[in-house]
Amino acid sequence: MLILALFSLLLLFYPGNNYYSNFFSYNRELFAVQRKISEKEIRPIVFVKNPLVVPNISAQGAYVIDANSATPVFEKNKDTHFFPASTAKVITALVALDVYKPTDVLTVKRVITEGQVVGLVQGEQIRVQELLYGLLVHSGNDVAYVLADNYGPGYDAFISRMNEKAASLSMNNSNFTNPAGLDDPRQYSSPFDLSLAGRKLLQNELLSTIVSTPSITISDVNFEHFHALSNVNKLLGKIPGIGGLKTGYTESAGENLISFYKRNGHQFLIVIMKSEDRFFDTESIVQWIDTNVGFISI
């Protein structure tokens, strides 16, 4: 038996002119790679238990996916154009980390007072990391403009970078004209597109930590100006599994909300647009996920 085993190994490594011996010998790495890939990619398959049961929501647009596989489990007008309001700040944050380091210090060049603001002071110098907390936790419009104003090529170039970022994420139903999400007929997005932006944000460790922060106080580099920030997302800390993400509201946009939800080791992204009550709608979808979404292991 030992001699037979040694002879078999000799054929494998020194295949001679035998076709099958040559094929398996010279393609050992190919078969090994295929085995590794198949083992790695085996995941539970998400499914809706009863497709006739849908969440009770007021939102005109919605999109819900299993975040790991990007498999949709619920959608409503997923490609319709809506005003994004402050959900546009997800793209602002992604671009900010493309063009700045978290430790870069920026100067407040102008003070924006429209809508939700952190209360930055003109001339204040503050690190990008603190600004990102102000942008995503407190949804500060003034912070969004600081990030855009300090970009070397200029404010307009920052807006161009926002649209380039959206295009790179295949957000084909989105266009941005300002970094804060203020209403503009030319600024729009869709539930599907915002799910793409949300998934991209969650891939960044710093940003995913920021959006899950209920409250924090930030300061300028000289510790002269302190800003207490509270997360606008009322579901953070209220519903187990909600990891935050981004709110948005204007009178024209209605109530928008992108949420990250974890349950039993599974992860979901929930996008709500033009809602009458974004928190109620999201809570309804979470309950629907808990009762009507399952997984099949293969």
Side-chain angles (χ1 to χ4, degrees), residues 32-43:
V33 169
Q34 287 181 333
R35 284 197 298 272
K36 290 178 182 177
I37 292 175
S38 61
E39 290 170 3
K40 182 178 180 180
E41 292 184 348
I42 292 176
R43 294 176 178 172

Side-chain angles (χ1 to χ4, degrees), residues 118-245:
V118 166
L120 298 176
V121 178
Q122 187 154 355
E124 181 178 352
Q125 293 187 309
I126 186 167
R127 294 192 311 166
V128 168
Q129 179 166 305
E130 276 66 46
L131 288 168
L132 289 172
Y133 274 95
L135 182 77
L136 297 173
V137 173
H138 201 72
S139 197
N141 292 340
D142 48 354
V143 172
Y145 278 87
V146 171
L147 291 167
D149 287 343
N150 279 267
Y151 182 47
Y155 172 87
D156 291 339
F158 188 92
I159 303 304
S160 295
R161 289 290 295 257
M162 290 178 65
N163 287 302
E164 290 168 9
K165 173 61 72 173
S168 74
L169 298 175
S170 298
M171 296 172 63
N172 299 323
N173 287 296
S174 297
N175 189 65
F176 301 99
T177 60
N178 67 74
L182 299 177
D183 288 341
D184 183 317
R186 298 168 299 149
Q187 180 149 274
Y188 53 84
S189 192
S190 70
F192 175 76
D193 282 10
L194 290 182
S195 76
L196 299 176
R199 285 190 80 207
K200 185 65 175 179
L201 182 146
L202 291 172
Q203 292 171 6
N204 183 281
E205 185 176 355
L206 173 60
L207 296 181
S208 63
T209 298
I210 290 173
V211 297
S212 65
T213 302
S215 63
I216 191 173
T217 297
I218 61 172
S219 75
D220 68 325
V221 294
N222 295 317
F223 305 106
E224 294 177 357
H225 305 286
F226 290 82
H227 309 282
L229 312 177
S230 297
N231 203 308
V232 182
N233 191 345
K234 295 180 181 179
L235 299 181
L236 193 61
K238 176 184 177 183
I239 298 181
I242 289 287
L245 218 160

Side-chain angles (χ1 to χ4, degrees), residues 10 30 40-41 53 61 73 116 119 163 166 182 186 214 248 266 278:
L10 182 65
L30 172 63
K40 182 178 180 180
E41 292 184 348
V53 176
V73 294
Q116 178 85 352
N163 287 302
L182 299 177
R186 298 168 299 149
H266 302 293
R278 58 193 169 187

Side-chain angles (χ1 to χ4, degrees), residues 1-293:
M1 291 296 293
L2 179 59
I3 295 174
L4 180 60
L6 290 172
F7 182 73
S8 299
L9 288 172
L10 182 65
L11 284 176
L12 182 62
F13 287 97
Y14 301 96
N17 294 319
N18 182 284
Y19 170 80
Y20 295 103
S21 296
N22 273 281
F23 181 81
F24 287 107
S25 177
Y26 292 126
N27 291 280
R28 283 192 301 273
E29 292 184 3
L30 172 63
F31 286 101
V33 169
Q34 287 181 333
R35 284 197 298 272
K36 290 178 182 177
I37 292 175
S38 61
E39 290 170 3
K40 182 178 180 180
E41 292 184 348
I42 292 176
R43 294 176 178 172
I45 298 174
V46 62
F47 72 99
V48 176
K49 297 175 183 177
N50 186 350
L52 299 179
V53 176
V54 296
N56 177 28
I57 59 174
S58 65
Q60 294 185 24
Y63 194 64
V64 184
I65 62 170
D66 167 52
N68 288 329
S69 64
T71 303
V73 294
F74 176 73
E75 60 184 63
K76 180 179 180 181
N77 299 324
K78 72 181 182 72
D79 295 318
T80 299
H81 293 181
F82 297 102
F83 288 114
S86 285
T87 59
K89 293 183 174 101
V90 172
I91 297 298
T92 304
L94 293 173
V95 172
L97 285 186
D98 283 343
V99 301
Y100 303 119
K101 297 177 182 177
T103 54
D104 285 347
V105 177
L106 307 186
T107 301
V108 179
K109 298 181 178 181
R110 56 173 162 165
V111 174
I112 302 297
T113 59
E114 184 177 355
Q116 178 85 352
V117 295
V118 166
L120 298 176
V121 178
Q122 187 154 355
E124 181 178 352
Q125 293 187 309
I126 186 167
R127 294 192 311 166
V128 168
Q129 179 166 305
E130 276 66 46
L131 288 168
L132 289 172
Y133 274 95
L135 182 77
L136 297 173
V137 173
H138 201 72
S139 197
N141 292 340
D142 48 354
V143 172
Y145 278 87
V146 171
L147 291 167
D149 287 343
N150 279 267
Y151 182 47
Y155 172 87
D156 291 339
F158 188 92
I159 303 304
S160 295
R161 289 290 295 257
M162 290 178 65
N163 287 302
E164 290 168 9
K165 173 61 72 173
S168 74
L169 298 175
S170 298
M171 296 172 63
N172 299 323
N173 287 296
S174 297
N175 189 65
F176 301 99
T177 60
N178 67 74
L182 299 177
D183 288 341
D184 183 317
R186 298 168 299 149
Q187 180 149 274
Y188 53 84
S189 192
S190 70
F192 175 76
D193 282 10
L194 290 182
S195 76
L196 299 176
R199 285 190 80 207
K200 185 65 175 179
L201 182 146
L202 291 172
Q203 292 171 6
N204 183 281
E205 185 176 355
L206 173 60
L207 296 181
S208 63
T209 298
I210 290 173
V211 297
S212 65
T213 302
S215 63
I216 191 173
T217 297
I218 61 172
S219 75
D220 68 325
V221 294
N222 295 317
F223 305 106
E224 294 177 357
H225 305 286
F226 290 82
H227 309 282
L229 312 177
S230 297
N231 203 308
V232 182
N233 191 345
K234 295 180 181 179
L235 299 181
L236 193 61
K238 176 184 177 183
I239 298 181
I242 289 287
L245 218 160
K246 192 68 198 75
T247 58
Y249 170 79
T250 66
E251 187 173 343
S252 297
E255 297 188 10
N256 297 340
L257 181 60
I258 311 172
S259 297
F260 178 50
Y261 176 57
K262 287 187 176 183
R263 179 179 70 89
N264 297 331
H266 302 293
Q267 303 175 2
F268 298 88
L269 261 176
I270 303 168
V271 180
I272 293 292
M273 298 194 77
K274 204 168 180 59
S275 168
E276 296 175 10
D277 189 335
R278 58 193 169 187
F279 300 123
F280 176 84
D281 284 352
T282 300
E283 194 165 0
S284 294
I285 288 177
V286 165
Q287 293 172 356
W288 177 82
I289 290 172
D290 290 346
T291 58
N292 205 36
V293 174

